[in-house]
Amino acid sequence: MVKISELQQKDVVNVANGKRLGNIGDIDINLTTGQIEAIIIIGTGKVLGLFGRADEMIIPWRDIVKVGADVILVRLDSDE
């Protein structure tokens, strides 16, 4: 079992291009089934965090390849 706080500490990496996407800021849970539907990567601050944030990225659970000890590997074919 993995705690949400542990998931939030892991880097999210796209295996399609090796790009680090960030860290999990939130998760989307289906309240009926109790399953995680998606993870949400919060955009980083644009200029020292002063002028807002970049858009958040929603990654469906089906696109997660592996949850490892230090990273979460996802496969996103588009250039995100």
Side-chain angles (χ1 to χ4, degrees), residues 21-37:
L21 302 175
N23 296 88
I24 296 176
D26 207 351
I27 59 173
D28 184 17
I29 299 176
N30 182 321
L31 295 178
T32 303
T33 64
Q35 295 181 333
I36 297 174
E37 297 285 326

Side-chain angles (χ1 to χ4, degrees), residues 36-62:
I36 297 174
E37 297 285 326
I39 59 174
I40 301 169
I41 308 298
I42 302 298
T44 58
K46 293 182 179 178
V47 178
L48 301 174
L50 297 176
F51 299 106
R53 294 185 166 269
D55 292 332
E56 61 186 26
M57 182 183 306
I58 299 173
I59 302 172
W61 189 257
R62 68 179 175 273

Side-chain angles (χ1 to χ4, degrees), residues 1-14 19-27 39-42 59 61 64 66-74:
M1 185 179 317
V2 178
K3 296 179 183 177
I4 293 173
S5 60
E6 293 172 359
L7 284 177
Q8 290 178 316
Q9 296 174 358
K10 299 177 189 288
D11 289 330
V12 180
V13 176
N14 185 357
K19 182 178 176 183
R20 180 185 178 277
L21 302 175
N23 296 88
I24 296 176
D26 207 351
I27 59 173
I39 59 174
I40 301 169
I41 308 298
I42 302 298
I59 302 172
W61 189 257
I64 295 176
K66 176 83 173 164
V67 177
D70 298 320
V71 298
I72 298 172
L73 300 177
V74 300

